[in-house]
Each structure stands twice: as structure tokens, then as C-alpha cells.
Amino acid sequence: MIDLSVTLGSLHLRNPILVASGTFGYAREMAGTVDFKCLGGVIPKTVTRQPRAGNKPPRTVETPSGMLNAIGLDNDGIDHFIAHHLPYLRTLPTAVIANIAGKNEQEFFEMAELLGQQPGLAALELNLSCPNVAGGVDFATDPAVTRRVVGQVRKVCSIPLLAKLTPNVTDIVPVARAAAEAGADAVSLVNTFIGMAIDWRRRRPILGNTTGGLSGPAIKPLALRLVWQVARSVQVPVVGIGGIATIDDVMEYLIAGASAVQLGTVNFYDPTASQRLAEQLPEALAQLGVSSIRELIGTLQVDGR
């Protein structure tokens, strides 16, 4: 028997395959494509306190082995999420992890308290690091701010917490450590890398927001290194994000130290990927002669260290 279950603090998942916020809609859009009971969990689109129209277009541009996006957290606000999306999400046969972003610390506390009172949510992911909105990365670039936000959210919300961090810092370890010490059950690594694309003939940026977040296979080596680095330095589980599209990618992240992974950009060009990778996990574990995911996590062998 192969045991695919994983634990992120007090959050228990049937397997480590999650889908990243902003790439899976509110799950309803994927109902005809993915069998949700095959997944460890779904993370619907980021929700903000008030409705947001998002950034002006163009909002996405394809890049070599990836994409830039500057959506700007387009959503109808938390009241609409609770009234219109959460009833459907509660019916899903998998863990549902809500994702929130505040324009200030107070909004994080208010939304976390509100969602913590709602039935049907397995956990809450704090988007501390969206690069496409004003101030969007401020909460995850300073360990003191990260500690304060996560700590206050922990006081008002009893469900498991994931802190989603930015790679756009000099050293991510102190930020991850601050989140863990403040009460996060896990840290999600990483959000997108800030980049840009230029139309040189027009001498203009292609994205309406000028810059955007780079995701997809292009960032995998960078994200993988950060997961490995943080997993060796903090006492809470790490959720790996960045360029995951194949079973090899999943296994690399697990061995680097991730306890679970989130699939993002791949959902746009292969919406069946999450189910396919979940179904391929048992065979991959069998190839290594192990019977559980836990036997793999953080087993990378580095000579001399």
C-alpha cells in the first residue's frame, strides 16, 4: 500500500497535489475537466476585502518557458466570495484552502476572522506577496511585518494558516522563519518573480502594468533552490510552487524538502495536469522503493553537507 497523505501542521491532505490560487478560478470552472477527489486540495482565486477591477490590459504575455501576468487581483470581494463561491466550494470532495490579500494589515485580520468562522474551509493561505498591486509585496519583504501580520491573524483565526511568500527579497529565510514563529502552519514558496516585457518597435512595455509576475517552467530552478534552502532552516512544512508540470517536477520538490506542491501556470495549458500527476505519484514512489510521501520529503543528498 502506498500512503500519499501529508500533513501541514494541523492541516491533513490526502495527497500533496494542490492547485495554486489564481490559476484554477473558483474550482467551478474546472469541474468538467478535473476529478476533485483525486487532488489534495484546491486554492481558489485570491479574495480581497473590497471588489477589485484589476490592472489595465494587456494583463498577460507569454515568455520563453513561462508567462508574465499582471492581473491585479481582479475579484468581487470577500462578501461575494462568501455568498456566491463558498457554498459551491463546500461541496467539493477535497480540501479547500481560501486565499486572501489585504491592502493593509487590518484587512488581513478582518478577512481572516470572517473566514475563520465559515464552515467548509480546511485552511487559509495569506497572500503576503502579490507583485502586481501597490504594496503587494510589502508584507513579505520585512520579517518584522510578516511576523506581525501572521501573528495577529493567528489570534483571530483558528484554522490552519499558510503564508505565501515572495522570492523578490535578498534572503527569504528570515521572512519564512518569522512566519513560522508567528504561527503559520506552513509557508508557500514561491510567488512570482517580478519581470517585464517590452515591445521595442513601439518603445512601450507590453503589460498595461509595465511589470508583472513571471511564472512557469522558467522559474523552477530558482524556486526549487529556495524551497531547499528554507526547508533546511524552518520548523514548519514548506509548500513548493514554481514551474511544476510533470511528475519529475513533483518528486524533485518533495526531495528538496517540500511537503506538498502547488500547480499553477500548467493549469492554463494543461488543465488535466493536477489529476494526472496525483495519479502518477504511487508509481513514482514505487520506483524509489518507498511506501509513503513522508519517506521522501527532504531526502536530498548533498555531498559534504
Side-chain angles (χ1 to χ4, degrees):
M1 295 293 292
I2 300 293
D3 181 6
L4 300 181
S5 65
V6 296
T7 300
L8 306 178
S10 56
L11 173 62
H12 303 285
L13 304 173
R14 68 163 60 96
N15 68 54
I17 304 298
L18 305 169
V19 288
S21 177
T23 68
F24 211 71
Y26 295 99
R28 192 191 304 269
E29 300 89 327
M30 308 296 282
T33 304
V34 176
D35 184 352
F36 296 125
K37 69 176 179 292
C38 293
L39 308 184
V42 300
I43 307 176
K45 185 171 172 55
T46 297
V47 180
T48 55
R49 188 69 183 90
Q50 302 296 331
R52 286 183 59 92
N55 294 325
K56 64 180 181 180
R59 294 180 173 185
T60 62
V61 58
E62 187 174 356
T63 64
S65 298
M67 66 176 286
L68 283 166
N69 93 83
I71 304 299
L73 302 182
D74 179 358
N75 78 104
D76 291 321
I78 194 167
D79 293 335
H80 182 86
F81 174 80
I82 292 173
H84 296 277
H85 295 301
L86 193 50
Y88 172 76
L89 291 166
R90 288 190 185 107
T91 69
L92 300 185
T94 190
V96 176
I97 302 171
N99 179 292
I100 61 171
K103 66 181 180 182
N104 54 51
E105 295 180 26
Q106 185 61 35
E107 285 195 350
F108 272 108
F109 310 152
E110 292 174 0
M111 289 189 290
E113 184 173 23
L114 192 57
L115 288 177
Q117 299 169 356
Q118 303 298 319
L121 289 177
L124 180 63
E125 183 174 66
L126 306 179
N127 186 352
L128 303 171
S129 52
C130 179
N132 304 316
V133 295
V137 298
D138 296 349
F139 305 106
T141 56
D142 182 340
V145 176
T146 300
R147 184 188 305 274
R148 189 166 63 239
V149 173
V150 174
Q152 289 297 321
V153 167
R154 180 75 289 168
K155 291 179 181 179
V156 300
C157 182
S158 61
I159 63 177
L161 295 179
L162 284 66
K164 189 172 184 178
L165 305 182
T166 178
N168 301 299
V169 292
T170 303
D171 187 356
I172 199 172
V173 170
V175 183
R177 188 175 291 130
E181 293 172 352
D185 289 82
V187 290
S188 300
L189 309 178
V190 290
N191 212 321
T192 54
F193 290 76
I194 297 176
M196 68 185 301
I198 293 174
D199 181 340
W200 65 268
R201 293 178 178 84
R202 296 174 54 241
R203 305 187 191 191
R204 298 285 299 171
I206 295 177
L207 290 172
N209 194 58
T210 303
T211 63
L214 180 66
S215 63
I219 74 167
K220 178 192 158 190
L222 302 171
L224 195 61
R225 188 269 297 182
L226 292 172
V227 165
W228 171 72
Q229 186 178 8
V230 169
R232 301 162 69 220
S233 306
V234 301
Q235 299 302 310
V236 299
V238 174
V239 179
I241 318 168
I244 300 169
T246 69
I247 191 63
D248 294 327
D249 298 331
V250 173
M251 298 296 283
E252 289 174 30
Y253 270 94
L254 294 173
I255 288 171
S259 295
V261 296
Q262 293 180 20
L263 277 62
T265 300
V266 68
N267 293 318
F268 295 124
Y269 63 87
D270 182 5
T272 65
S274 55
Q275 179 176 337
R276 173 170 48 81
L277 297 190
E279 292 171 346
Q280 290 175 348
L281 267 175
E283 172 59 26
L285 267 63
Q287 288 184 37
L288 293 181
V290 299
S291 59
S292 76
I293 294 290
R294 293 182 294 278
E295 294 179 62
L296 285 182
I297 297 170
T299 57
L300 182 68
Q301 301 176 22
V302 181
D303 291 342
R305 282 179 283 174

